[in-house]
Structure formats: C-alpha cells, structure tokens
Amino acid sequence: MSNVLGVSPPDHHQLPLGLDVTRTGRLLATAFDQALAEAGGSLPTWQVLTTLARDDGSTQRGIAAAIGIEGATLTHHLNRMEAEGLVTRTRVPTDRRTHRVELTDAGRQTFRRLLTRVVAFDTRLRAGLDPAEEATLRSLLARLRANSAGAGRTDTPTTPSEAPT
C-alpha cells in the first residue's frame, strides 16, 4: 500500500532512528516520573534536590544552569518546594538580587527517599546489559546527541537541484 505521494510508509522495523529514540526516551521518562511519583517526588524536585545535594547553598541562577531550565521555571518549583519545607531561600547580603538555596532536613530526607527509587529504577533499566553493552550504548547515545547538533555533519542536499545526479 502506498500513500498519495506514491511512497510506501515504512514498516515498524524501518522507523526513522530519531523517531525510535524519541519514543524510547518518552517511555523511559514516563516510567522514571512514575517511579519518582510513587515516592512522593517529581523530576523537577529530584533535579533540584540532586543539585543541592552536590552543592548545598547554590544560587538560584546556578541551579537553573545546572539543570538546564529558565530562572522563572525554577522559581515556580522552588516556591512549591519551599512551601513543602524541602528548601530554604535567603538573599545574599552582598547581592540582594541573588538567592542562596539550601536543603532542609526534610529536603535531605526526601532526597534519600527519592535516591532509593532512582537507584532501583536504574538497576531495572540496566537488567540484562553487561558493562560492554552499557559502554556501547552510552557511546552511541553520545554520538546521536553530537549528530543531532550537527557535529561531524556531512553536507546533505537541501534542495533537489543540489542532489547528486
């Protein structure tokens, strides 16, 4: 069967690689979110807690940069986390525009609880992979990230007139 352009759609085993990786990424993200939710957490909470566990007393700007989100988005998450008693924010005396964020005891407890779930999820994800396979997977994922950003790019035709004949 072909579509109106006279091209047959790919069968399941011929999906574009990017689509297959995207579907897998979404599936993993959903499963990871569920594992965190079962422990009373969320991905944003985990990312902030992890960043603070590495460097308690980080600035809001530093946390946003570390997890790759905009400052306004982080402020939303920090407002919620502060209301839940997980973090405190204080202004830096030498720069009133800068806030230092620190874990509370409840934040440390939540981090440990979520860490248990993260480790269990990671163990489940690695099931059946030997160290060489994991290394290969990481290498391939790194190459896909680089390729998607254009690293090692070969010039490809952008218009039919540029295509080789």
Short mmCIF file of all heavy atoms in Angstrom, two decimals, residues 26-58:
data_model
loop_
_atom_site.label_atom_id
_atom_site.label_comp_id
_atom_site.label_asym_id
_atom_site.label_seq_id
_atom_site.Cartn_x
_atom_site.Cartn_y
_atom_site.Cartn_z
N ARG A 26 10.65 8.92 25.56
CA ARG A 26 9.38 9.26 26.22
C ARG A 26 8.92 8.13 27.14
O ARG A 26 8.42 8.40 28.24
CB ARG A 26 8.31 9.55 25.17
CG ARG A 26 8.51 10.88 24.51
CD ARG A 26 7.37 11.21 23.56
NE ARG A 26 7.62 12.48 22.92
CZ ARG A 26 7.35 12.74 21.67
NH1 ARG A 26 6.77 11.83 20.91
NH2 ARG A 26 7.62 13.92 21.15
N LEU A 27 9.06 6.91 26.69
CA LEU A 27 8.69 5.76 27.52
C LEU A 27 9.52 5.74 28.81
O LEU A 27 8.98 5.57 29.91
CB LEU A 27 8.87 4.46 26.74
CG LEU A 27 8.60 3.19 27.53
CD1 LEU A 27 7.09 2.92 27.56
CD2 LEU A 27 9.32 2.01 26.90
N LEU A 28 10.82 5.93 28.68
CA LEU A 28 11.70 5.94 29.85
C LEU A 28 11.37 7.12 30.77
O LEU A 28 11.35 6.96 32.00
CB LEU A 28 13.16 6.00 29.43
CG LEU A 28 13.70 4.78 28.70
CD1 LEU A 28 15.14 5.02 28.25
CD2 LEU A 28 13.62 3.54 29.56
N ALA A 29 11.11 8.28 30.20
CA ALA A 29 10.78 9.45 31.01
C ALA A 29 9.49 9.23 31.79
O ALA A 29 9.41 9.57 32.98
CB ALA A 29 10.66 10.69 30.13
N THR A 30 8.50 8.64 31.14
CA THR A 30 7.23 8.36 31.82
C THR A 30 7.44 7.37 32.96
O THR A 30 6.91 7.57 34.06
CB THR A 30 6.20 7.82 30.80
OG1 THR A 30 5.97 8.82 29.81
CG2 THR A 30 4.89 7.45 31.48
N ALA A 31 8.21 6.32 32.71
CA ALA A 31 8.46 5.32 33.75
C ALA A 31 9.27 5.92 34.90
O ALA A 31 9.00 5.63 36.07
CB ALA A 31 9.21 4.12 33.15
N PHE A 32 10.23 6.78 34.59
CA PHE A 32 11.03 7.43 35.63
C PHE A 32 10.17 8.37 36.46
O PHE A 32 10.23 8.36 37.69
CB PHE A 32 12.20 8.18 34.98
CG PHE A 32 13.19 8.76 35.97
CD1 PHE A 32 13.89 7.93 36.83
CD2 PHE A 32 13.42 10.11 36.03
CE1 PHE A 32 14.81 8.45 37.74
CE2 PHE A 32 14.33 10.65 36.92
CZ PHE A 32 15.03 9.82 37.79
N ASP A 33 9.33 9.16 35.79
CA ASP A 33 8.40 10.05 36.50
C ASP A 33 7.50 9.25 37.44
O ASP A 33 7.23 9.67 38.57
CB ASP A 33 7.55 10.84 35.52
CG ASP A 33 8.31 11.93 34.79
OD1 ASP A 33 9.40 12.31 35.25
OD2 ASP A 33 7.80 12.40 33.75
N GLN A 34 7.02 8.11 36.97
CA GLN A 34 6.13 7.28 37.80
C GLN A 34 6.88 6.76 39.02
O GLN A 34 6.34 6.76 40.13
CB GLN A 34 5.58 6.13 36.98
CG GLN A 34 4.62 5.26 37.76
CD GLN A 34 4.03 4.13 36.91
OE1 GLN A 34 4.22 4.07 35.70
NE2 GLN A 34 3.32 3.23 37.56
N ALA A 35 8.12 6.32 38.83
CA ALA A 35 8.91 5.83 39.97
C ALA A 35 9.12 6.94 41.00
O ALA A 35 9.01 6.69 42.21
CB ALA A 35 10.25 5.29 39.47
N LEU A 36 9.38 8.15 40.53
CA LEU A 36 9.55 9.27 41.46
C LEU A 36 8.23 9.62 42.15
O LEU A 36 8.21 9.88 43.36
CB LEU A 36 10.09 10.50 40.72
CG LEU A 36 11.53 10.40 40.23
CD1 LEU A 36 11.86 11.59 39.33
CD2 LEU A 36 12.50 10.33 41.40
N ALA A 37 7.14 9.61 41.39
CA ALA A 37 5.82 9.94 41.96
C ALA A 37 5.42 8.94 43.04
O ALA A 37 4.82 9.32 44.05
CB ALA A 37 4.76 9.99 40.86
N GLU A 38 5.77 7.67 42.84
CA GLU A 38 5.44 6.65 43.84
C GLU A 38 6.15 6.91 45.17
O GLU A 38 5.70 6.44 46.22
CB GLU A 38 5.78 5.26 43.31
CG GLU A 38 4.85 4.79 42.21
CD GLU A 38 5.33 3.53 41.51
OE1 GLU A 38 6.43 3.01 41.85
OE2 GLU A 38 4.61 3.07 40.60
N ALA A 39 7.25 7.65 45.11
CA ALA A 39 7.99 8.00 46.33
C ALA A 39 7.68 9.43 46.77
O ALA A 39 8.38 9.99 47.60
CB ALA A 39 9.49 7.83 46.08
N GLY A 40 6.64 10.04 46.18
CA GLY A 40 6.25 11.38 46.56
C GLY A 40 7.07 12.47 45.93
O GLY A 40 7.14 13.58 46.46
N GLY A 41 7.69 12.19 44.81
CA GLY A 41 8.54 13.18 44.16
C GLY A 41 8.13 13.45 42.73
O GLY A 41 7.10 12.98 42.26
N SER A 42 8.97 14.22 42.06
CA SER A 42 8.78 14.56 40.66
C SER A 42 10.16 14.80 40.07
O SER A 42 11.14 14.98 40.80
CB SER A 42 7.92 15.80 40.51
OG SER A 42 8.61 16.93 41.03
N LEU A 43 10.23 14.85 38.75
CA LEU A 43 11.52 15.11 38.11
C LEU A 43 12.10 16.47 38.51
O LEU A 43 13.27 16.54 38.88
CB LEU A 43 11.40 14.99 36.59
CG LEU A 43 12.70 15.20 35.82
CD1 LEU A 43 13.77 14.20 36.25
CD2 LEU A 43 12.44 15.09 34.33
N PRO A 44 11.32 17.55 38.49
CA PRO A 44 11.89 18.83 38.91
C PRO A 44 12.40 18.80 40.36
O PRO A 44 13.48 19.32 40.66
CB PRO A 44 10.75 19.83 38.76
CG PRO A 44 9.84 19.22 37.74
CD PRO A 44 9.95 17.73 37.96
N THR A 45 11.64 18.17 41.25
CA THR A 45 12.08 18.06 42.64
C THR A 45 13.38 17.30 42.72
O THR A 45 14.33 17.72 43.40
CB THR A 45 10.99 17.37 43.50
OG1 THR A 45 9.81 18.18 43.48
CG2 THR A 45 11.45 17.18 44.94
N TRP A 46 13.45 16.17 42.01
CA TRP A 46 14.67 15.35 42.01
C TRP A 46 15.86 16.15 41.49
O TRP A 46 16.94 16.12 42.07
CB TRP A 46 14.46 14.08 41.20
CG TRP A 46 15.72 13.31 40.99
CD1 TRP A 46 16.39 13.11 39.82
CD2 TRP A 46 16.50 12.65 41.99
NE1 TRP A 46 17.52 12.38 40.03
CE2 TRP A 46 17.62 12.08 41.36
CE3 TRP A 46 16.36 12.50 43.37
CZ2 TRP A 46 18.58 11.36 42.05
CZ3 TRP A 46 17.33 11.79 44.06
CH2 TRP A 46 18.42 11.23 43.41
N GLN A 47 15.67 16.88 40.40
CA GLN A 47 16.78 17.63 39.82
C GLN A 47 17.29 18.71 40.78
O GLN A 47 18.50 18.88 40.93
CB GLN A 47 16.36 18.26 38.49
CG GLN A 47 16.17 17.24 37.39
CD GLN A 47 15.66 17.86 36.11
OE1 GLN A 47 14.70 18.63 36.12
NE2 GLN A 47 16.30 17.55 35.00
N VAL A 48 16.39 19.41 41.43
CA VAL A 48 16.81 20.44 42.38
C VAL A 48 17.50 19.80 43.58
O VAL A 48 18.58 20.24 44.01
CB VAL A 48 15.62 21.31 42.83
CG1 VAL A 48 16.02 22.24 43.98
CG2 VAL A 48 15.08 22.13 41.65
N LEU A 49 16.89 18.75 44.14
CA LEU A 49 17.49 18.09 45.30
C LEU A 49 18.87 17.52 44.98
O LEU A 49 19.79 17.63 45.79
CB LEU A 49 16.56 16.98 45.81
CG LEU A 49 15.24 17.43 46.42
CD1 LEU A 49 14.39 16.22 46.80
CD2 LEU A 49 15.44 18.35 47.61
N THR A 50 19.02 16.93 43.82
CA THR A 50 20.31 16.38 43.41
C THR A 50 21.36 17.47 43.28
O THR A 50 22.50 17.31 43.74
CB THR A 50 20.17 15.62 42.08
OG1 THR A 50 19.23 14.57 42.24
CG2 THR A 50 21.49 15.03 41.63
N THR A 51 20.98 18.57 42.68
CA THR A 51 21.91 19.69 42.53
C THR A 51 22.33 20.21 43.89
O THR A 51 23.52 20.46 44.14
CB THR A 51 21.26 20.82 41.69
OG1 THR A 51 20.90 20.28 40.40
CG2 THR A 51 22.22 21.98 41.50
N LEU A 52 21.37 20.35 44.80
CA LEU A 52 21.70 20.85 46.14
C LEU A 52 22.47 19.82 46.96
O LEU A 52 23.30 20.19 47.80
CB LEU A 52 20.43 21.27 46.87
CG LEU A 52 19.78 22.54 46.33
CD1 LEU A 52 18.43 22.79 47.00
CD2 LEU A 52 20.71 23.74 46.49
N ALA A 53 22.22 18.53 46.73
CA ALA A 53 22.97 17.50 47.45
C ALA A 53 24.45 17.56 47.08
O ALA A 53 25.32 17.28 47.91
CB ALA A 53 22.40 16.12 47.14
N ARG A 54 24.74 17.97 45.85
CA ARG A 54 26.12 18.12 45.41
C ARG A 54 26.74 19.42 45.92
O ARG A 54 27.93 19.49 46.17
CB ARG A 54 26.19 18.13 43.88
CG ARG A 54 26.07 16.79 43.25
CD ARG A 54 26.40 16.85 41.76
NE ARG A 54 25.58 15.88 41.09
CZ ARG A 54 24.61 16.15 40.23
NH1 ARG A 54 24.34 17.40 39.90
NH2 ARG A 54 23.92 15.20 39.68
N ASP A 55 25.92 20.47 45.98
CA ASP A 55 26.43 21.79 46.35
C ASP A 55 25.36 22.55 47.11
O ASP A 55 24.72 23.46 46.57
CB ASP A 55 26.83 22.56 45.08
CG ASP A 55 27.47 23.91 45.39
OD1 ASP A 55 27.90 24.13 46.53
OD2 ASP A 55 27.51 24.75 44.47
N ASP A 56 25.12 22.17 48.36
CA ASP A 56 24.11 22.84 49.17
C ASP A 56 24.52 24.29 49.34
O ASP A 56 25.68 24.61 49.61
CB ASP A 56 24.00 22.15 50.54
CG ASP A 56 22.68 22.45 51.23
OD1 ASP A 56 21.75 22.94 50.56
OD2 ASP A 56 22.58 22.18 52.43
N GLY A 57 23.59 25.17 49.14
CA GLY A 57 23.87 26.59 49.21
C GLY A 57 24.11 27.20 47.85
O GLY A 57 24.68 28.27 47.72
N SER A 58 23.66 26.50 46.81
CA SER A 58 23.78 27.01 45.45
C SER A 58 22.87 28.22 45.26
O SER A 58 21.87 28.37 45.94
CB SER A 58 23.39 25.95 44.43
OG SER A 58 24.27 24.87 44.46
#
